[in-house]
Amino acid sequence: KHLAGGRIGFEFGTGLKMHLNHMDREALFAELPNAERVDVAPAVWPVRSIKSAREIEMLRKACDINHRAIETGLRGLREGTTEIELYRTIVQEYFRLGAEKSLVLGVRAGKERYSQSNCPPSERPIRKGDMLLVDGGPYYKGYCSDIIRMAIIGKPTAEQQEMFDIARDAVYAGL
């Protein structure tokens, strides 16, 4: 209660989130009606962007776990495997490889699901010709890896290849 009228720093802005759902965030702000909310991202991010050798090692391990788990899941993918089955394979592999938890892992396949961003996996079977997207990753010793991988059972259509090429070219342009 002593903070109700003070200055409280949060990270606001594009790409930043408080890891609270909307209701919890609004409940928190309702408890602080007279507090000045200040964006601390400009002060925090320059410090956060500098990594020690140990932190780099943890990030690399998190990325390695992510890459290997998704590879395991995709290697075992067969027509008829459901999105949730692929999800379980990947997340189980995260833990087998040493992860402590997982981000929300998105798995979606099929044209009707392409536009559904950050959706949970469903019982939908993955069919030959479906474009499949896996998005998320594990935490390892407090550090997380969040990557997206795309795959297709069979040969991609011209439209699928075009979508892949655009996504790949955008990544390389950003790098």
Side-chain angles (χ1 to χ4, degrees):
K1 291 287 182 187
H2 67 280
L3 295 175
R7 293 180 79 203
I8 302 174
F10 296 98
E11 292 179 87
F12 295 119
T14 305
L16 304 172
K17 56 185 173 178
M18 299 174 61
H19 295 283
L20 296 174
N21 66 41
H22 178 73
M23 287 179 35
D24 289 344
R25 188 190 73 202
E26 292 304 309
L28 172 64
F29 289 166
E31 291 293 320
L32 308 167
N34 300 315
E36 178 186 1
R37 296 186 294 257
V38 179
D39 184 9
V40 297
V44 170
W45 277 96
V47 174
R48 189 178 279 156
S49 67
I50 299 168
K51 301 293 182 217
S52 70
R54 180 82 170 130
E55 288 176 300
I56 292 168
E57 180 184 335
M58 297 301 105
L59 287 165
R60 284 186 174 142
K61 179 65 175 177
C63 290
D64 181 62
I65 290 170
N66 203 1
H67 171 77
R68 290 171 55 196
I70 292 172
E71 184 178 293
T72 296
L74 294 179
R75 199 177 321 113
L77 185 62
R78 303 288 180 267
E79 186 171 15
T81 301
T82 65
E83 293 175 350
I84 197 79
E85 288 169 336
L86 177 59
Y87 164 87
R88 286 184 188 126
T89 298
I90 294 169
V91 172
Q92 286 171 357
E93 190 69 2
Y94 286 161
F95 290 107
R96 193 188 72 71
L97 294 170
E100 58 204 37
K101 61 182 178 176
S102 176
L103 294 167
V104 174
L105 185 67
V107 176
R108 64 185 183 275
K111 197 167 196 151
E112 75 281 5
R113 303 237 319 135
Y114 292 167
S115 64
Q116 298 176 10
S117 65
N118 295 326
C119 62
S122 72
E123 292 289 342
R124 183 198 185 281
I126 301 166
R127 298 178 200 87
K128 188 172 185 176
D130 283 345
M131 184 182 293
L132 167 71
L133 185 131
V134 177
D135 180 9
Y139 280 85
Y140 178 75
K141 299 198 181 210
Y143 292 88
C144 71
S145 169
D146 184 356
I147 61 175
I148 295 175
R149 290 288 184 266
M150 297 167 62
I152 295 174
I153 298 177
K155 185 176 164 96
T157 65
E159 180 186 25
Q160 290 169 333
Q161 186 65 52
E162 180 184 15
M163 289 183 348
F164 172 81
D165 291 343
I166 289 168
R168 182 200 57 225
D169 292 347
V171 167
Y172 288 139
L175 291 173

